[in-house]
Amino acid sequence: MTTKRCCFATILLTVLVAAHAAAGEHRRRVIIDQDAFGPAGSNLQAILMLLQAPDVEVLGITIVSGDGWRDEEVDHTLRLLEIAGRTDVPVIPGAVLPLVNSAARTKVWESAYGKLFYKGAWTEQWPDQGVARRAPHPMNPYLVPPSPAGAPHIKAADDVAANFLVREVRRYPGEVTLIAAGPLTNVALAARLDPKFSSRVLQLVVMGGSFNPTAAQNAFAAEYVNSPRREFNMRFDPEAASLVLHEPWPKITEVPIDPTTKTFFTAEMRAHIAHGQAPFAAYIGEFGQSYPMWDELAVAVWLDPSIVTRSERLLVDVDTSFTAGYGNTLSWPMGEGPGLGEQPVEVVQDIDLKKFEALALELLSRPASKK
């Protein structure tokens, strides 16, 4: 009897291990490339949604300057992972500066064509958007001011984002989704480092661009209400964006400003998450701020494509002419582009708002997903 029981236990353990391994093999692999300015906010909440999704394996978080400078964003991300209990996920620093664009070029452009509403890391004074912002440091990209969420104890990976992206995609060819939720500098560098990089990625999901958004009833609409084709992620590094959009990705999904204008992270949502079971509940309760849910939506569209109620397949590029339209989104119907290597892009135009909000709140309120 003892032998039989031992044999049964061994068989059962083998079955359970095999089932666990099979489940692990079917987890969706993703890397998020992010300008992770914080604490909290849309950038970091998008990361948390991926970490909380039970069927997702986050291979790493690559950091690019955008809303803030890279090193400060790295610190915010590391601290977030400590609070979330996910220090197993590597954070890899990437590009500090765009490929061509610069603070000096931006000032020259503004002198000719008018002030930009928002300049991210180059912002001299934060616009009045009804949210708390710390003092900017546009000319000192390596300064890391103390964060109100505290300093991290863990360190970033001793690696470079472009190298990491290339290596992980080679490791899992055809299996990795890349969600690019900030300027596309890191992605462009990876594409130039390895000519086969883009073709080995399963799917590229981009948060950025603007086509014909309906102005929202909040202060953030000032970015696009008079310039509907301008959007920050593309405008910060237009050359990188154009390069990336000409790469032969198997699939590109773009979540532009258009469907995000109906989203907003309200005080009620923050309170709901603060009273939830996630390890970062108190963090969101203290530092969460009311923004449109730009990056959360990009993540949600990948997690559950049924959120999308309307999309269109277009050829898309970004204006790099350094004229009035520098950084603007360019688009053509299929077959009507200039024929310079433009790739087909599935552009999300509208969403099921209630379904999206329910998914975001569920993920950000649930207990931590098992590693």
Side-chain angles (χ1 to χ4, degrees), residues 264-280:
F264 206 71
F265 189 68
T266 65
E268 291 75 19
M269 290 178 178
R270 185 176 67 217
H272 178 92
I273 296 166
H275 289 92
Q277 301 179 66
F280 48 80

Side-chain angles (χ1 to χ4, degrees), residues 21-324:
E25 287 174 4
H26 287 88
R27 293 177 76 194
R28 303 166 71 190
R29 294 188 169 103
V30 67
I31 298 170
I32 182 166
D33 186 67
Q34 182 64 290
D35 55 339
F37 194 74
S42 182
N43 299 327
L44 295 181
Q45 285 160 199
I47 293 173
L48 289 173
M49 286 175 64
L50 289 173
L51 295 175
Q52 289 284 92
D55 65 334
V56 170
E57 179 184 2
V58 181
L59 298 176
I61 304 165
T62 52
I63 304 297
V64 63
S65 290
D67 284 330
W69 292 116
R70 182 202 64 183
D71 290 356
E72 185 176 2
E73 294 171 345
V74 165
D75 253 37
H76 286 305
T77 307
L78 293 171
R79 183 63 183 135
L80 180 81
L81 294 179
E82 289 179 340
I83 293 168
R86 291 302 307 272
T87 56
D88 58 299
V89 178
V91 176
I92 305 92
V96 176
L97 299 169
L99 299 183
V100 176
N101 200 17
S102 65
R105 283 169 59 89
T106 299
K107 287 182 178 179
V108 168
W109 186 93
E110 287 183 312
S111 69
Y113 303 113
K115 295 293 184 183
L116 291 167
F117 174 73
Y118 179 64
K119 293 182 283 189
W122 287 321
T123 298
E124 296 94 353
Q125 183 175 355
W126 291 108
D128 183 11
Q129 297 169 319
V131 293
R133 288 301 218 175
R134 285 175 287 122
H137 47 99
M139 304 312 294
N140 189 351
Y142 301 102
L143 175 68
V144 180
S147 169
H153 301 286
I154 59 173
K155 301 294 183 183
D158 185 16
D159 203 350
V160 176
N163 291 338
F164 176 84
L165 289 167
V166 168
R167 187 171 62 251
E168 290 301 291
V169 169
R170 285 180 176 177
R171 182 182 175 194
Y172 301 111
E175 297 181 31
V176 179
T177 292
L178 174 57
I179 299 179
L184 292 170
T185 320
N186 287 340
V187 184
L189 291 170
R192 281 296 180 261
L193 188 63
D194 180 2
K196 295 183 179 179
F197 169 70
S198 56
S199 61
R200 288 187 174 121
V201 171
L202 176 63
Q203 177 185 178
L204 173 67
V205 179
V206 174
M207 193 287 123
S210 185
F211 292 80
N212 188 29
T214 300
Q217 298 300 310
N218 58 59
F220 297 92
E223 181 183 8
Y224 56 82
V225 67
N226 293 310
S227 49
R229 288 276 172 153
R230 184 183 300 155
E231 182 274 331
F232 170 73
N233 282 345
M234 300 300 180
R235 179 61 180 72
F236 192 77
D237 195 343
E239 288 76 17
S242 182
L243 188 159
V244 168
L245 288 167
H246 285 78
E247 285 290 304
W249 309 92
K251 181 180 180 181
I252 308 174
T253 300
E254 182 171 4
V255 181
I257 284 293
D258 305 50
T260 72
T261 60
K262 62 169 63 175
T263 71
F264 206 71
F265 189 68
T266 65
E268 291 75 19
M269 290 178 178
R270 185 176 67 217
H272 178 92
I273 296 166
H275 289 92
Q277 301 179 66
F280 48 80
Y283 169 87
I284 297 295
E286 183 174 358
F287 301 114
Q289 298 184 52
S290 293
Y291 290 100
M293 300 173 74
W294 302 292
D295 295 3
E296 296 98 327
L297 181 58
V299 165
V301 163
W302 177 67
L303 290 173
D304 183 4
S306 71
I307 286 170
V308 179
T309 59
R310 183 166 56 90
S311 66
E312 185 176 3
R313 196 170 173 83
L314 297 169
L315 299 174
V316 180
D317 197 0
V318 172
D319 189 340
T320 59
S321 64
F322 205 67
T323 58

